[in-house]
Amino acid sequence: MAYENPQSSLNIPLPVVEIEQEQIMSAPLNNPPAVTDLTIWEDDPASGVFTTAPKPDLTLPPLKFLIPGAEPPLSNDVNSAAFRYWTAAEALKRGTNFWAPIVPQPQLWQRGGDTLEVHLDRWEDLEADYNRDALNFYHGPSPSGTVYSCASPDVVCHELGHAILDAIKPGLWTAHLQEVASFHETFADMSAILCALQLPSFRQAILVETNGNLNSDSRLSRIGQQLGAAVHVLYPKDADPNCLRNASSFFSYCDPSSLPSSALTTSLSSNPHSFSRVFTGALFEALADMLTVCAANPSAATPNELRAVSEDMRDILASGVTNAREIPGYFAEVATTISLASAQKNPAYPGIFLGAFVGHAILSMETAATIQSSLNILQDEFVEMAHDRQLAEALTVLPSSRYGLAEDLNIAMTTSPLGFIARSARTDGKSMEHTSLPVAAEAFVDELFMIGQVDYNGFGLKGFKSYGRRRSKTHELVLRDGGLTLQRRLFH
Ligand SMILES: [Zn+2]
Protein backbone atom coordinates (compact mmCIF):
# COMPACT_ATOMS: atom_id res chain seq x y z
CA MET A 1 0.00 0.00 0.00
CA ALA A 2 1.36 3.37 -0.94
CA TYR A 3 1.72 6.16 1.58
CA GLU A 4 -1.14 8.63 1.40
CA ASN A 5 -0.77 12.11 2.72
CA PRO A 6 -4.00 13.29 4.31
CA GLN A 7 -3.49 16.86 3.11
CA SER A 8 -3.06 16.03 -0.51
CA SER A 9 -5.05 14.53 -3.27
CA LEU A 10 -3.47 12.02 -5.58
CA ASN A 11 -3.25 14.47 -8.43
CA ILE A 12 -2.67 18.14 -7.89
CA PRO A 13 -3.70 20.24 -10.86
CA LEU A 14 -1.07 22.96 -11.09
CA PRO A 15 -0.50 25.29 -14.00
CA VAL A 16 2.95 25.58 -15.50
CA VAL A 17 4.30 29.13 -15.35
CA GLU A 18 7.89 30.34 -15.02
CA ILE A 19 8.61 32.97 -12.36
CA GLU A 20 11.62 34.19 -10.43
CA GLN A 21 12.21 32.31 -7.15
CA GLU A 22 12.26 35.42 -4.99
CA GLN A 23 8.75 36.28 -6.15
CA ILE A 24 7.54 33.27 -4.15
CA MET A 25 9.19 34.63 -1.04
CA SER A 26 7.33 37.90 -1.22
CA ALA A 27 3.93 36.37 -1.93
CA PRO A 28 1.34 36.73 0.85
CA LEU A 29 1.04 33.53 2.88
CA ASN A 30 -2.62 32.96 2.10
CA ASN A 31 -2.06 32.92 -1.64
CA PRO A 32 -1.73 29.63 -3.47
CA PRO A 33 1.92 28.93 -4.26
CA ALA A 34 3.27 30.72 -7.27
CA VAL A 35 4.15 28.12 -9.83
CA THR A 36 7.25 27.33 -11.80
CA ASP A 37 7.46 24.05 -13.66
CA LEU A 38 7.91 21.59 -10.78
CA THR A 39 5.92 20.74 -7.66
CA ILE A 40 7.77 19.13 -4.74
CA TRP A 41 7.51 18.45 -1.05
CA GLU A 42 9.00 21.46 0.72
CA ASP A 43 10.90 19.52 3.40
CA ASP A 44 9.26 16.14 3.96
CA PRO A 45 6.13 14.21 2.94
CA ALA A 46 4.92 14.18 6.54
CA SER A 47 4.77 17.98 6.56
CA GLY A 48 2.31 17.82 3.69
CA VAL A 49 3.52 21.20 2.37
CA PHE A 50 4.21 21.69 -1.31
CA THR A 51 6.32 24.26 -3.00
CA THR A 52 7.50 24.92 -6.50
CA ALA A 53 10.93 25.16 -8.03
CA PRO A 54 12.65 25.24 -11.40
CA LYS A 55 13.04 21.84 -13.04
CA PRO A 56 16.60 20.72 -12.17
CA ASP A 57 19.22 19.53 -14.62
CA LEU A 58 21.39 16.99 -12.79
CA THR A 59 23.90 16.89 -15.64
CA LEU A 60 25.01 20.48 -15.15
CA PRO A 61 28.43 21.05 -13.52
CA PRO A 62 30.13 21.45 -11.18
CA LEU A 63 28.62 18.60 -9.12
CA LYS A 64 26.64 16.23 -11.32
CA PHE A 65 24.41 13.25 -10.54
CA LEU A 66 23.38 10.20 -12.51
CA ILE A 67 20.08 8.53 -11.66
CA PRO A 68 20.10 5.29 -13.70
CA GLY A 69 17.11 4.68 -15.92
CA ALA A 70 14.92 6.89 -18.03
CA GLU A 71 13.95 10.34 -16.76
CA PRO A 72 10.24 10.17 -15.91
CA PRO A 73 7.72 12.81 -17.00
CA LEU A 74 6.74 15.41 -14.40
CA SER A 75 3.95 14.20 -12.17
CA ASN A 76 1.77 15.70 -9.46
CA ASP A 77 0.75 12.27 -8.16
CA VAL A 78 2.48 12.34 -4.76
CA ASN A 79 2.43 8.55 -4.57
CA SER A 80 4.18 8.07 -7.89
CA ALA A 81 7.81 7.16 -8.50
CA ALA A 82 7.96 10.19 -10.84
CA PHE A 83 6.96 12.62 -8.08
CA ARG A 84 9.64 11.11 -5.81
CA TYR A 85 12.19 11.32 -8.63
CA TRP A 86 11.66 15.03 -9.20
CA THR A 87 11.45 15.86 -5.51
CA ALA A 88 14.79 14.10 -4.95
CA ALA A 89 16.35 15.63 -8.07
CA GLU A 90 15.36 19.15 -7.03
CA ALA A 91 16.73 18.61 -3.52
CA LEU A 92 20.02 17.28 -4.90
CA LYS A 93 20.46 20.21 -7.29
CA ARG A 94 19.45 22.79 -4.71
CA GLY A 95 21.84 21.16 -2.24
CA THR A 96 24.80 21.11 -4.59
CA ASN A 97 24.15 24.67 -5.72
CA PHE A 98 24.37 25.60 -2.04
CA TRP A 99 27.47 23.55 -1.17
CA ALA A 100 29.43 23.93 -4.44
CA PRO A 101 31.27 27.13 -3.41
CA ILE A 102 33.10 25.29 -0.62
CA VAL A 103 33.94 22.07 -2.50
CA PRO A 104 37.56 22.17 -3.67
CA GLN A 105 38.06 22.06 -7.43
CA PRO A 106 38.72 20.00 -9.43
CA GLN A 107 38.52 16.99 -7.09
CA LEU A 108 34.74 17.23 -6.66
CA TRP A 109 33.27 13.92 -5.48
CA GLN A 110 35.56 11.72 -3.40
CA ARG A 111 35.11 8.76 -5.79
CA GLY A 112 36.79 10.93 -8.43
CA GLY A 113 35.18 12.76 -11.30
CA ASP A 114 32.25 15.08 -11.27
CA THR A 115 29.32 12.61 -11.27
CA LEU A 116 27.82 10.75 -8.32
CA GLU A 117 25.25 7.99 -8.86
CA VAL A 118 21.92 8.14 -7.08
CA HIS A 119 19.73 5.05 -6.58
CA LEU A 120 16.25 6.09 -5.53
CA ASP A 121 14.86 2.72 -4.43
CA ARG A 122 17.36 -0.10 -3.91
CA TRP A 123 15.32 -2.55 -1.86
CA GLU A 124 13.19 -2.82 1.27
CA ASP A 125 14.90 -1.17 4.21
CA LEU A 126 14.10 1.89 6.32
CA GLU A 127 17.42 3.44 5.42
CA ALA A 128 19.41 5.81 3.23
CA ASP A 129 23.17 5.88 2.83
CA TYR A 130 26.24 7.25 1.07
CA ASN A 131 28.93 4.73 0.15
CA ARG A 132 31.38 6.89 -1.84
CA ASP A 133 30.10 5.46 -5.15
CA ALA A 134 26.50 6.52 -4.75
CA LEU A 135 23.70 7.94 -2.67
CA ASN A 136 21.28 5.08 -1.94
CA PHE A 137 17.66 5.24 -0.88
CA TYR A 138 15.21 2.48 0.09
CA HIS A 139 11.59 1.81 0.98
CA GLY A 140 9.98 0.24 4.01
CA PRO A 141 6.77 -0.24 5.97
CA SER A 142 4.92 2.21 8.17
CA PRO A 143 1.43 2.18 9.70
CA SER A 144 0.36 4.54 6.89
CA GLY A 145 1.80 2.36 4.15
CA THR A 146 5.10 2.20 2.33
CA VAL A 147 7.52 5.06 2.87
CA TYR A 148 10.36 5.91 0.51
CA SER A 149 13.45 7.59 1.93
CA CYS A 150 14.10 9.45 -1.35
CA ALA A 151 10.72 11.17 -1.01
CA SER A 152 12.05 13.38 1.78
CA PRO A 153 14.22 16.36 0.77
CA ASP A 154 15.49 16.30 4.36
CA VAL A 155 16.80 12.75 4.00
CA VAL A 156 18.20 13.42 0.52
CA CYS A 157 20.10 16.49 1.74
CA HIS A 158 21.34 14.60 4.82
CA GLU A 159 22.97 11.95 2.62
CA LEU A 160 24.23 14.65 0.29
CA GLY A 161 25.87 16.25 3.34
CA HIS A 162 27.89 13.06 3.93
CA ALA A 163 29.08 13.17 0.31
CA ILE A 164 29.99 16.87 0.53
CA LEU A 165 31.93 16.42 3.76
CA ASP A 166 33.72 13.43 2.26
CA ALA A 167 34.68 15.60 -0.71
CA ILE A 168 36.19 18.35 1.43
CA LYS A 169 37.65 16.20 4.24
CA PRO A 170 38.18 12.58 3.13
CA GLY A 171 40.28 11.72 6.19
CA LEU A 172 37.13 11.63 8.30
CA TRP A 173 36.02 8.51 6.39
CA THR A 174 38.90 6.43 7.73
CA ALA A 175 39.18 7.88 11.24
CA HIS A 176 38.09 5.24 13.77
CA LEU A 177 36.84 7.73 16.34
CA GLN A 178 33.37 8.08 17.84
CA GLU A 179 33.40 11.87 17.78
CA VAL A 180 34.51 12.02 14.15
CA ALA A 181 31.73 9.64 13.07
CA SER A 182 29.26 11.66 15.13
CA PHE A 183 30.40 14.94 13.57
CA HIS A 184 29.79 13.41 10.12
CA GLU A 185 26.17 12.95 11.21
CA THR A 186 26.03 16.50 12.55
CA PHE A 187 27.32 17.88 9.25
CA ALA A 188 24.74 15.78 7.36
CA ASP A 189 21.90 17.04 9.56
CA MET A 190 23.13 20.61 9.15
CA SER A 191 23.09 19.96 5.39
CA ALA A 192 19.41 19.01 5.64
CA ILE A 193 18.69 22.17 7.63
CA LEU A 194 20.75 24.59 5.53
CA CYS A 195 19.63 23.16 2.17
CA ALA A 196 15.98 23.45 3.25
CA LEU A 197 16.63 27.13 3.97
CA GLN A 198 17.57 27.68 0.32
CA LEU A 199 13.87 27.45 -0.58
CA PRO A 200 12.34 30.94 -0.41
CA SER A 201 8.92 29.59 0.58
CA PHE A 202 10.44 27.52 3.42
CA ARG A 203 12.44 30.46 4.80
CA GLN A 204 9.32 32.53 5.01
CA ALA A 205 7.26 29.71 6.51
CA ILE A 206 9.86 28.96 9.20
CA LEU A 207 10.14 32.59 10.25
CA VAL A 208 6.37 32.60 10.72
CA GLU A 209 6.21 29.19 12.45
CA THR A 210 9.00 30.01 14.93
CA ASN A 211 8.09 33.67 15.33
CA GLY A 212 11.68 34.44 14.36
CA ASN A 213 13.19 32.23 17.10
CA LEU A 214 14.82 29.53 14.99
CA ASN A 215 15.99 27.51 17.99
CA SER A 216 12.61 25.97 18.61
CA ASP A 217 10.81 22.77 17.70
CA SER A 218 9.68 23.30 14.11
CA ARG A 219 9.71 21.82 10.63
CA LEU A 220 13.27 23.14 10.42
CA SER A 221 14.49 21.33 13.53
CA ARG A 222 12.64 18.05 12.88
CA ILE A 223 14.74 16.15 10.35
CA GLY A 224 13.25 13.32 8.30
CA GLN A 225 9.77 13.35 9.78
CA GLN A 226 8.10 10.60 7.73
CA LEU A 227 11.04 8.19 7.73
CA GLY A 228 11.66 8.86 11.44
CA ALA A 229 8.07 8.06 12.34
CA ALA A 230 8.30 4.79 10.40
CA VAL A 231 11.64 3.84 12.00
CA HIS A 232 10.27 4.66 15.45
CA VAL A 233 7.48 2.09 15.06
CA LEU A 234 9.93 -0.74 14.34
CA TYR A 235 12.99 0.49 16.28
CA PRO A 236 11.84 2.99 18.95
CA LYS A 237 15.36 3.75 20.13
CA ASP A 238 16.56 4.72 16.63
CA ALA A 239 14.24 7.68 16.00
CA ASP A 240 11.87 10.08 17.71
CA PRO A 241 8.13 9.46 17.22
CA ASN A 242 7.87 12.38 14.79
CA CYS A 243 11.29 12.59 13.11
CA LEU A 244 14.70 10.96 12.82
CA ARG A 245 16.31 13.63 15.02
CA ASN A 246 15.32 17.01 16.39
CA ALA A 247 18.01 19.70 16.21
CA SER A 248 16.36 21.77 18.92
CA SER A 249 16.75 19.09 21.59
CA PHE A 250 19.42 19.71 24.22
CA PHE A 251 22.21 17.33 25.20
CA SER A 252 25.46 18.09 27.00
CA TYR A 253 28.80 16.63 26.03
CA CYS A 254 30.35 13.75 27.91
CA ASP A 255 33.05 11.28 26.85
CA PRO A 256 31.19 9.01 24.39
CA SER A 257 33.15 5.97 25.56
CA SER A 258 31.42 6.41 28.93
CA LEU A 259 27.97 6.11 27.35
CA PRO A 260 25.94 2.99 26.52
CA SER A 261 26.06 1.96 22.87
CA SER A 262 22.31 2.38 22.56
CA ALA A 263 19.57 4.20 24.42
CA LEU A 264 16.07 5.57 23.96
CA THR A 265 16.07 8.83 22.03
CA THR A 266 15.39 10.81 25.20
CA SER A 267 18.91 9.88 26.37
CA LEU A 268 22.32 10.08 24.82
CA SER A 269 24.22 7.03 23.58
CA SER A 270 27.60 6.66 21.88
CA ASN A 271 25.89 5.68 18.61
CA PRO A 272 26.93 8.42 16.12
CA HIS A 273 23.34 9.36 15.20
CA SER A 274 22.52 9.81 18.88
CA PHE A 275 25.77 11.45 19.98
CA SER A 276 25.74 13.84 17.00
CA ARG A 277 22.80 15.61 18.65
CA VAL A 278 25.20 17.24 21.13
CA PHE A 279 27.03 19.11 18.37
CA THR A 280 23.98 19.66 16.14
CA GLY A 281 22.13 21.23 19.06
CA ALA A 282 24.96 23.69 19.62
CA LEU A 283 25.13 24.64 15.93
CA PHE A 284 21.37 25.03 15.70
CA GLU A 285 21.46 27.34 18.69
CA ALA A 286 24.29 29.31 17.08
CA LEU A 287 22.34 29.60 13.80
CA ALA A 288 19.42 31.18 15.65
CA ASP A 289 21.70 33.66 17.43
CA MET A 290 23.52 34.52 14.17
CA LEU A 291 20.19 35.52 12.68
CA THR A 292 19.40 37.70 15.67
CA VAL A 293 22.67 39.63 15.47
CA CYS A 294 22.54 39.98 11.68
CA ALA A 295 18.93 41.09 11.34
CA ALA A 296 18.40 44.80 10.89
CA ASN A 297 15.40 44.36 13.17
CA PRO A 298 16.23 41.43 15.51
CA SER A 299 12.59 40.82 16.32
CA ALA A 300 11.59 40.70 12.65
CA ALA A 301 14.32 38.98 10.65
CA THR A 302 13.69 38.72 6.93
CA PRO A 303 13.98 35.69 4.63
CA ASN A 304 16.93 37.32 2.86
CA GLU A 305 18.75 37.78 6.17
CA LEU A 306 18.06 34.12 6.98
CA ARG A 307 19.56 33.08 3.65
CA ALA A 308 22.67 35.17 4.29
CA VAL A 309 23.11 33.59 7.72
CA SER A 310 22.72 30.08 6.27
CA GLU A 311 25.54 30.87 3.81
CA ASP A 312 27.72 32.16 6.64
CA MET A 313 27.13 28.91 8.54
CA ARG A 314 28.10 26.92 5.43
CA ASP A 315 31.38 28.79 5.03
CA ILE A 316 32.20 28.57 8.74
CA LEU A 317 31.54 24.81 8.86
CA ALA A 318 33.66 24.21 5.77
CA SER A 319 36.57 26.25 7.06
CA GLY A 320 36.34 24.74 10.53
CA VAL A 321 36.31 21.15 9.32
CA THR A 322 39.18 21.80 6.92
CA ASN A 323 41.45 23.05 9.71
CA ALA A 324 40.54 20.48 12.39
CA ARG A 325 42.79 17.48 13.06
CA GLU A 326 41.23 14.00 13.40
CA ILE A 327 42.19 13.47 17.03
CA PRO A 328 40.51 12.08 20.17
CA GLY A 329 38.39 14.90 21.55
CA TYR A 330 37.40 15.83 17.99
CA PHE A 331 34.29 17.70 19.14
CA ALA A 332 36.45 20.19 21.09
CA GLU A 333 38.91 20.38 18.19
CA VAL A 334 36.35 21.15 15.50
CA ALA A 335 34.41 23.45 17.86
CA THR A 336 37.63 25.43 18.18
CA THR A 337 38.29 25.70 14.45
CA ILE A 338 34.62 26.57 13.80
CA SER A 339 34.76 29.34 16.41
CA LEU A 340 37.99 30.65 14.88
CA ALA A 341 36.51 30.54 11.37
CA SER A 342 33.43 32.43 12.55
CA ALA A 343 35.63 35.37 13.53
CA GLN A 344 36.64 35.74 9.88
CA LYS A 345 32.97 36.27 8.96
CA ASN A 346 31.63 38.53 11.66
CA PRO A 347 33.23 39.81 14.90
CA ALA A 348 29.99 39.03 16.74
CA TYR A 349 30.06 35.36 15.76
CA PRO A 350 32.84 33.93 18.01
CA GLY A 351 30.90 34.92 21.12
CA ILE A 352 27.84 33.14 19.75
CA PHE A 353 29.66 29.92 18.85
CA LEU A 354 31.76 29.81 22.01
CA GLY A 355 28.64 30.43 24.10
CA ALA A 356 26.84 27.54 22.40
CA PHE A 357 29.82 25.18 22.71
CA VAL A 358 30.36 26.04 26.39
CA GLY A 359 26.63 25.68 27.04
CA HIS A 360 26.73 22.14 25.63
CA ALA A 361 30.03 21.35 27.45
CA ILE A 362 31.74 20.74 24.10
CA LEU A 363 34.31 23.32 25.17
CA SER A 364 35.40 23.98 28.72
CA MET A 365 35.22 27.58 29.91
CA GLU A 366 38.99 27.56 30.22
CA THR A 367 39.46 26.55 26.58
CA ALA A 368 36.81 28.99 25.37
CA ALA A 369 38.47 31.86 27.24
CA THR A 370 41.83 31.00 25.67
CA ILE A 371 40.28 30.92 22.21
CA GLN A 372 38.51 34.22 22.76
CA SER A 373 41.71 35.97 23.79
CA SER A 374 43.83 34.53 20.96
CA LEU A 375 41.54 34.41 17.92
CA ASN A 376 44.00 35.57 15.30
CA ILE A 377 47.04 33.73 16.68
CA LEU A 378 45.16 30.43 16.93
CA GLN A 379 43.55 30.86 13.51
CA ASP A 380 47.01 31.28 11.94
CA GLU A 381 48.29 28.24 13.87
CA PHE A 382 45.47 25.97 12.70
CA VAL A 383 45.67 27.15 9.09
CA GLU A 384 49.42 26.51 9.12
CA MET A 385 48.94 23.04 10.58
CA ALA A 386 46.30 22.24 7.96
CA HIS A 387 48.67 23.26 5.13
CA ASP A 388 51.79 21.62 6.47
CA ARG A 389 50.19 18.57 7.96
CA GLN A 390 52.51 15.62 8.28
CA LEU A 391 50.21 12.67 8.79
CA ALA A 392 51.71 9.46 10.12
CA GLU A 393 50.13 6.03 9.92
CA ALA A 394 50.00 3.94 13.07
CA LEU A 395 48.48 0.57 13.86
CA THR A 396 46.76 -0.89 16.89
CA VAL A 397 46.05 -4.61 17.09
CA LEU A 398 42.89 -5.90 18.78
CA PRO A 399 42.51 -9.50 19.98
CA SER A 400 40.66 -11.98 17.76
CA SER A 401 38.96 -13.69 20.70
CA ARG A 402 36.90 -10.61 21.54
CA TYR A 403 35.16 -10.51 18.18
CA GLY A 404 34.92 -14.20 17.24
CA LEU A 405 37.64 -13.89 14.60
CA ALA A 406 40.24 -16.38 13.48
CA GLU A 407 43.02 -13.81 13.60
CA ASP A 408 43.77 -10.53 15.33
CA LEU A 409 42.32 -7.32 13.91
CA ASN A 410 44.50 -4.46 12.66
CA ILE A 411 43.11 -0.98 13.13
CA ALA A 412 44.82 1.73 11.08
CA MET A 413 45.15 5.11 12.76
CA THR A 414 46.41 8.47 11.61
CA THR A 415 48.40 10.59 14.02
CA SER A 416 48.29 14.37 13.67
CA PRO A 417 50.85 17.03 14.56
CA LEU A 418 50.73 18.44 18.05
CA GLY A 419 49.52 21.97 18.66
CA PHE A 420 46.83 23.75 20.63
CA ILE A 421 44.65 21.13 22.33
CA ALA A 422 41.09 22.17 23.09
CA ARG A 423 39.29 20.53 25.99
CA SER A 424 35.67 19.65 26.54
CA ALA A 425 34.16 20.12 29.98
CA ARG A 426 33.62 17.57 32.72
CA THR A 427 30.34 17.72 34.61
CA ASP A 428 32.01 20.02 37.16
CA GLY A 429 32.91 22.44 34.36
CA LYS A 430 36.67 21.79 34.51
CA SER A 431 38.65 20.79 31.41
CA MET A 432 38.60 17.11 30.50
CA GLU A 433 41.71 15.13 29.56
CA HIS A 434 41.30 13.31 26.26
CA THR A 435 41.97 9.61 25.94
CA SER A 436 44.88 8.38 23.84
CA LEU A 437 44.37 7.58 20.14
CA PRO A 438 44.61 3.76 20.55
CA VAL A 439 42.14 3.77 23.46
CA ALA A 440 39.68 6.02 21.60
CA ALA A 441 39.96 3.88 18.45
CA GLU A 442 39.37 0.67 20.42
CA ALA A 443 36.22 2.14 22.01
CA PHE A 444 34.90 3.04 18.55
CA VAL A 445 35.64 -0.40 17.11
CA ASP A 446 34.11 -2.24 20.08
CA GLU A 447 30.93 -0.24 19.70
CA LEU A 448 30.69 -1.09 15.99
CA PHE A 449 30.81 -4.81 16.78
CA MET A 450 28.38 -4.47 19.71
CA ILE A 451 25.69 -2.75 17.67
CA GLY A 452 26.17 -5.07 14.70
CA GLN A 453 27.60 -2.59 12.20
CA VAL A 454 30.42 -4.84 10.97
CA ASP A 455 30.05 -7.21 8.01
CA TYR A 456 32.40 -10.10 8.79
CA ASN A 457 32.72 -11.03 5.10
CA GLY A 458 33.32 -14.64 6.15
CA PHE A 459 36.23 -13.89 8.50
CA GLY A 460 34.40 -15.02 11.65
CA LEU A 461 35.25 -18.24 13.45
CA LYS A 462 33.29 -21.26 12.21
CA GLY A 463 29.84 -21.21 13.74
CA PHE A 464 30.20 -17.67 15.14
CA LYS A 465 27.14 -15.49 14.58
CA SER A 466 27.69 -11.74 14.44
CA TYR A 467 25.39 -9.35 16.30
CA GLY A 468 22.82 -6.90 15.03
CA ARG A 469 19.60 -7.13 13.08
CA ARG A 470 20.18 -4.50 10.40
CA ARG A 471 21.11 -5.68 6.95
CA SER A 472 23.08 -2.59 6.02
CA LYS A 473 26.46 -2.35 7.82
CA THR A 474 28.65 0.72 8.03
CA HIS A 475 31.91 -1.25 8.18
CA GLU A 476 33.40 -4.48 6.85
CA LEU A 477 36.38 -6.76 7.44
CA VAL A 478 38.88 -7.07 4.60
CA LEU A 479 42.35 -8.50 4.10
CA ARG A 480 44.95 -5.82 3.49
CA ASP A 481 48.73 -6.19 3.44
CA GLY A 482 48.32 -9.74 4.68
CA GLY A 483 46.34 -8.80 7.78
CA LEU A 484 42.70 -8.58 8.74
CA THR A 485 41.59 -4.96 8.91
CA LEU A 486 38.43 -2.91 9.37
CA GLN A 487 37.26 -0.39 6.79
CA ARG A 488 34.26 1.89 6.41
CA ARG A 489 31.70 0.95 3.79
CA LEU A 490 29.15 3.75 4.17
CA PHE A 491 27.46 6.39 6.28
CA HIS A 492 23.72 6.08 6.91
ZN1 LIG B 1 23.97 10.07 8.26
Side-chain angles (χ1 to χ4, degrees), residues 282-334:
L283 291 178
F284 198 63
E285 196 176 304
L287 184 71
D289 290 345
M290 289 163 70
L291 181 61
T292 302
V293 302
C294 290
N297 179 354
S299 60
T302 67
N304 276 339
E305 289 166 338
L306 180 51
R307 180 176 61 186
V309 160
S310 72
E311 291 169 353
D312 281 356
M313 179 63 92
R314 170 196 65 198
D315 298 345
I316 290 166
L317 288 178
S319 175
V321 79
T322 300
N323 293 335
R325 297 158 292 180
E326 296 90 69
I327 57 176
Y330 183 75
F331 268 19
E333 170 84 1
V334 74

Side-chain angles (χ1 to χ4, degrees), residues 128 158-159 162 184-185 188-189 245 273 491-492:
H158 173 100
E159 299 308 331
H162 282 304
H184 232 283
E185 297 304 335
D189 275 351
R245 286 168 298 283
H273 287 104
F491 275 104
H492 284 303

Side-chain angles (χ1 to χ4, degrees), residues 17-288:
V17 182
E18 289 262 359
I19 66 161
E20 290 295 321
Q21 279 205 342
E22 289 300 318
Q23 284 180 254
I24 302 169
M25 183 190 72
S26 58
L29 282 178
N30 58 352
N31 277 3
V35 178
T36 59
D37 50 356
L38 191 64
T39 302
I40 52 171
W41 294 121
E42 203 170 50
D43 59 329
D44 190 272
S47 293
V49 180
F50 302 108
T51 192
T52 51
K55 183 181 174 186
D57 183 349
L58 298 181
T59 64
L60 287 179
L63 295 157
K64 305 179 194 172
F65 297 97
L66 172 66
I67 303 179
E71 181 181 289
L74 299 186
S75 171
N76 287 330
D77 176 356
V78 298
N79 293 318
S80 68
F83 188 88
R84 293 191 294 273
Y85 177 103
W86 287 110
T87 290
E90 191 282 333
L92 290 167
K93 200 63 202 168
R94 167 162 42 91
T96 46
N97 285 343
F98 174 68
W99 286 116
I102 56 90
V103 176
Q105 310 276 338
Q107 172 59 40
L108 303 177
W109 301 118
Q110 187 52 40
R111 70 185 298 215
D114 60 0
T115 304
L116 188 65
E117 284 195 12
V118 181
H119 300 276
L120 296 179
D121 189 14
R122 303 236 43 171
W123 53 72
E124 181 170 329
D125 205 348
L126 286 172
E127 284 291 5
D129 63 63
Y130 161 69
N131 66 6
R132 277 201 160 162
D133 282 330
L135 302 175
N136 299 295
F137 301 92
Y138 305 81
H139 70 272
S142 85
S144 309
T146 303
V147 299
Y148 296 83
S149 55
C150 75
S152 167
D154 269 2
V155 175
V156 170
C157 292
H158 173 100
E159 299 308 331
L160 174 66
H162 282 304
I164 294 290
L165 183 53
D166 196 29
I168 63 177
K169 194 71 173 179
L172 302 186
W173 184 270
T174 51
H176 296 303
L177 293 169
Q178 286 163 315
E179 293 184 26
V180 170
S182 298
F183 183 79
H184 232 283
E185 297 304 335
T186 284
F187 191 96
D189 275 351
M190 289 305 294
S191 175
I193 290 166
L194 297 175
C195 292
L197 289 175
Q198 304 319 301
L199 279 173
S201 60
F202 190 70
R203 285 198 298 274
Q204 177 147 330
I206 286 301
L207 288 172
V208 171
E209 181 183 349
T210 64
N211 199 24
N213 174 24
L214 285 192
N215 190 20
S216 53
D217 184 2
S218 72
R219 283 204 285 141
L220 181 65
S221 73
R222 292 189 296 273
I223 297 159
Q225 295 177 84
Q226 186 190 62
L227 182 61
V231 170
H232 180 80
V233 171
L234 290 182
Y235 314 110
K237 67 182 178 54
D238 289 351
D240 286 329
N242 59 352
C243 60
L244 288 168
R245 286 168 298 283
N246 194 327
S248 79
S249 54
F250 187 95
F251 292 98
S252 274
Y253 178 87
C254 60
D255 183 346
S257 65
S258 70
L259 291 169
S261 59
S262 66
L264 291 174
T265 58
T266 48
S267 300
L268 208 55
S269 81
S270 58
N271 182 296
H273 287 104
S274 174
F275 196 69
S276 68
R277 295 177 298 169
V278 175
F279 212 103
T280 308
L283 291 178
F284 198 63
E285 196 176 304
L287 184 71

